[in-house]
Amino acid sequence: MRTYGQYCPIARGAEIFAERWTPLIIRNLHLGCQTFGEILQGAPGLSHTLLAQRLKQLERLGIVEVTPKAYGRGHRYLLTPSGDDLFEVCKSLGEWGARWLEIAPENLDPYVALWSMGNALRPDRLPDRRVVIQLDFTGYRPHERYWLIIEHTEVEICKTYSGMDEDLFITADAEAFVKWHAGQLSWAEATRDSRIQLHGPSWIAKAFPTWNSRSMFAHISHNAATTTTS
């Protein structure tokens, strides 16, 4: 690993934190991902090989603790107190990003919004039965279809038909859905002009937006950064 060769704590901390994918791995661990597959699922584009390298590095540095699973093969990955402190750096970076950075077209990945939503559901609002939701996303990216399966507090995102009957069908503009989850649009704003349409029993359609406690940064007021030219 390259270093800055400086004693400055910012330089030494950046050598770890600024490694590609490391902040997202720390985020996923904080959100409750404990297995290799769970961490990988929340980081589309991250390879198995690179994740294994990063986890070994974080374990060596005392940021992640690795223990065998209680049952079955594999390991559990947990943040140590050092890792919990490092997440606070991730949180500060996220707050800055939410306040000053625009959500650009290349950021509009509805899968990431669904994954994040699955980690932010409100258990007290969920129905006491399994619910299967088909979601079709349109907009900047090619058409994408997912199935969201919610049963009690367990959530599964499927990219292929699950074989279960759907309870709710949602067609959504990816930008409206992502910005609603991110807290930049209210549900009323997101559904305006039919940008998000729900088809199914009225009780599910009305309840759906109340299940999502939204991004941990949804409370941050967004300020468009200004660009100056000379």
Side-chain angles (χ1 to χ4, degrees):
M1 182 177 67
R2 294 181 180 180
T3 70
Y4 291 105
Q6 296 185 21
Y7 70 87
C8 172
I10 294 177
R12 290 186 288 118
E15 290 168 0
I16 300 167
F17 185 77
E19 285 274 14
R20 182 168 169 79
W21 292 108
T22 293
L24 274 64
I25 294 169
I26 298 298
R27 177 202 67 188
N28 291 2
L29 289 166
H30 172 80
L31 290 174
C33 298
Q34 294 189 0
T35 68
F36 192 94
E38 288 172 346
I39 299 168
L40 199 65
Q41 186 182 38
L46 173 59
S47 70
H48 286 71
T49 300
L50 188 54
L51 175 57
Q53 292 174 355
R54 291 289 185 268
L55 288 172
K56 286 181 180 178
Q57 179 191 24
L58 293 171
E59 180 186 14
R60 179 176 59 82
L61 293 168
I63 295 169
V64 170
E65 178 185 5
V66 184
T67 60
K69 287 183 179 178
Y71 303 98
R73 301 173 58 184
H75 297 83
R76 294 170 65 246
Y77 300 89
L78 300 169
L79 292 176
T80 65
S82 171
D84 289 331
D85 271 1
L86 188 57
F87 173 74
E88 293 302 314
V89 180
C90 294
K91 185 178 177 182
S92 294
L93 181 63
E95 290 173 349
W96 177 84
R99 181 171 291 114
W100 293 108
L101 299 180
E102 296 288 352
I103 298 178
E106 60 268 24
N107 306 137
L108 297 172
D109 186 343
Y111 173 84
V112 174
L114 277 180
W115 181 85
S116 178
M117 178 179 169
N119 285 280
L121 291 176
R122 302 181 60 176
D124 59 313
R125 299 289 183 89
L126 297 177
D128 57 1
R129 47 156 288 189
R130 183 178 65 203
V131 174
V132 180
I133 304 170
Q134 177 183 305
L135 300 106
D136 287 272
F137 291 100
T138 61
Y140 293 105
R141 300 162 64 95
H143 173 266
E144 297 180 44
R145 174 175 289 175
Y146 299 100
W147 284 265
L148 189 66
I149 304 172
I150 304 171
E151 189 163 10
H152 303 298
T153 58
E154 298 296 320
V155 179
E156 182 179 0
I157 302 171
C158 299
K159 297 183 180 181
T160 57
Y161 179 54
S162 65
M164 304 177 190
D165 292 338
E166 294 91 344
D167 300 289
L168 184 66
F169 296 86
I170 298 177
T171 302
D173 172 73
E175 180 180 22
F177 192 90
V178 169
K179 288 189 174 182
W180 165 62
H181 178 69
Q184 292 190 11
L185 293 177
S186 67
W187 182 248
E189 291 169 331
T191 55
R192 188 175 298 157
D193 300 323
S194 300
R195 296 182 72 190
I196 298 179
Q197 301 178 59
L198 291 80
H199 304 282
S202 59
W203 72 269
I204 298 181
K206 291 179 180 178
F208 174 77
T210 72
W211 299 345
N212 181 15
S213 59
R214 303 210 283 179
S215 163
M216 70 176 75
F217 305 109
H219 64 287
I220 303 294
S221 298
H222 178 70
N223 297 312
T226 58
T227 302
T228 58
T229 57
S230 56

